[in-house]
Amino acid sequence: MESLWRLKSVEHSFVAVMEQFLHTVDLMDNTVLIPMKLIDFPVKDLMPASFTDPNLQNNMNMRAFYFMVKALRIKLSLGHDGLPPTENEVNVVPLEREIQDSCHRLNQLALLARYIKNSTQNLGPNHELPSFQGFQSRTMFHSGNCLLGALKKFAEEVESLEKAMLFPCLLRDISVNDQMPKFDEQTKTLYDVFMLLKKLRKELLSGSRNFDLPDPKLQQKLSELFQTFLQYTTMARNLTARYEQEVRCF
C-alpha cells in the first residue's frame, strides 16, 4: 500500500503502525479465500502470551477475527457510516468509540491550526482576534470519523500554519480563550498552542517508541489504539500463515 503521507513516517510512529495494519489486513484478505476453514481454530492461538484484549471474546475463532479486522480496516479508511454494527462488527464497537473520540480531537486541533493561521496574518499592536466560535461555525472539515482522514487533515493544517507563521514569538502575547479547545494549565498562549501542534504532528508522523504526545486528551486514546494496531497486525499476519498452512494440508 502506498503511503498517504508526504512526510515519510518512521517504523514506530502512529501513522506507520496504522499503515502496516492496513497493509497486513489487505494481504490477509487477498490470501484467505475460504474463511470457513478458520472456524475451528481459537483466536487465542494467534495472540502473544502477554496480550489481553477486551474486544476479543474468549471463545472467538479465527474466522470471527478475520471479519472483525476487515471491518476495522474499513472504519479506519472510510470512517463510520452511522449504521448499527453488523454481527461481524460488534466486537469493535468499543474500539470504534476510541477512534471516533480521537477523530473529534484531531479535527478540533486541525481547526485551531487553521484559525491561528488565518487570524494572525497581520499581527500588530492591539490586534484583536475574531471569535473562534464564529470561525468554527463557518469552517467545516469532512474527515468525519475516518481516523486516517483526520490525521491527514491535522498534519496538513499544522504544516500550513508553520509555513505561514514567520514570527511565532508574536503569539506569546495572545492568550488562549475559553472558546478554544481545552488544553492543560501550562498551555496559556497561542505560542504554547503553536509549539504543541508542531510537536504533536512530528510525534504522530515520525515519533519514537515511547509515543509521548503533548496532548493528554489524545495521549491515552491513541496510545491504546497504537498498542491494539501493533497486536492486531501481528495476529493478522499469524492468521494468514495459519490459513496457508491449512490449505497446504488440505
Side-chain angles (χ1 to χ4, degrees):
M1 176 185 296
E2 184 178 354
S3 174
L4 297 175
W5 309 92
R6 286 174 292 168
L7 175 61
K8 184 178 180 181
S9 54
V10 300
E11 181 181 359
H12 289 280
S13 72
F14 184 79
V15 170
V17 168
M18 280 189 60
E19 289 183 330
Q20 186 59 43
F21 169 78
L22 295 174
H23 173 77
T24 303
V25 175
D26 279 339
L27 180 62
M28 178 198 74
D29 193 22
N30 291 331
T31 303
V32 179
L33 303 180
I34 310 175
M36 186 60 69
K37 288 184 176 293
L38 301 168
I39 199 169
D40 294 328
F41 306 114
V43 73
K44 64 181 181 180
D45 290 352
L46 304 174
M47 300 167 61
S50 60
F51 179 58
T52 58
D53 190 320
N55 300 306
L56 303 180
Q57 300 174 1
N58 292 331
N59 60 347
M60 179 181 282
N61 58 57
M62 292 186 192
R63 177 182 177 274
F65 178 76
Y66 163 84
F67 284 112
M68 190 191 89
V69 292
K70 278 187 60 177
L72 182 56
R73 177 192 61 179
I74 294 172
K75 299 294 184 183
L76 289 175
S77 302
L78 302 179
H80 178 59
D81 54 18
L83 299 176
T86 65
E87 180 181 354
N88 295 325
E89 297 173 332
V90 68
N91 290 306
V92 299
V93 169
L95 194 60
E96 184 177 310
R97 192 171 299 114
E98 294 293 315
I99 292 172
Q100 291 180 30
D101 290 345
S102 299
C103 287
H104 178 69
R105 182 61 176 175
L106 285 167
N107 285 331
Q108 278 188 327
L109 298 179
L111 180 67
L112 183 57
R114 183 181 293 187
Y115 169 79
I116 295 173
K117 185 190 76 170
N118 291 359
S119 303
T120 58
Q121 292 293 317
N122 300 301
L123 283 179
N126 302 319
H127 182 80
E128 186 172 340
L129 297 184
S131 164
F132 178 76
Q133 286 183 342
F135 179 84
Q136 186 176 27
S137 66
R138 298 189 302 271
T139 308
M140 295 294 294
F141 289 158
H142 299 288
S143 61
N145 288 313
C146 172
L147 187 53
L148 280 174
L151 281 165
K152 184 177 181 180
K153 173 60 69 176
F154 170 78
E156 289 175 347
E157 292 295 339
V158 175
E159 181 182 29
S160 179
L161 171 62
E162 286 188 70
K163 291 179 178 178
M165 189 57 57
L166 301 180
F167 302 103
C169 59
L170 296 177
L171 299 175
R172 294 183 188 274
D173 297 328
I174 305 175
S175 299
V176 173
N177 62 53
D178 294 337
Q179 296 181 359
M180 298 177 184
K182 303 301 181 185
F183 297 97
D184 59 31
E185 295 180 354
Q186 296 179 343
T187 306
K188 299 179 180 180
T189 69
L190 288 192
Y191 179 80
D192 298 329
V193 174
F194 175 76
M195 297 304 294
L196 182 149
L197 295 176
K198 282 182 57 178
K199 183 178 179 182
L200 179 56
R201 178 181 182 273
K202 180 180 179 181
E203 190 70 23
L204 288 172
L205 295 179
S206 56
S208 64
R209 287 175 178 267
N210 295 329
F211 194 63
D212 181 22
L213 297 182
D215 186 311
K217 291 181 180 295
L218 276 176
Q219 173 67 42
Q220 180 179 0
K221 294 184 181 301
L222 291 189
S223 293
E224 293 172 358
L225 292 175
F226 180 83
Q227 294 300 325
T228 298
F229 291 140
L230 276 177
Q231 297 297 343
Y232 283 6
T233 298
T234 299
M235 292 173 66
R237 191 178 294 121
N238 292 343
L239 184 149
T240 303
R242 181 62 178 267
Y243 178 83
E244 290 177 327
Q245 177 184 347
E246 293 301 319
V247 169
R248 284 196 299 269
C249 294
F250 182 71

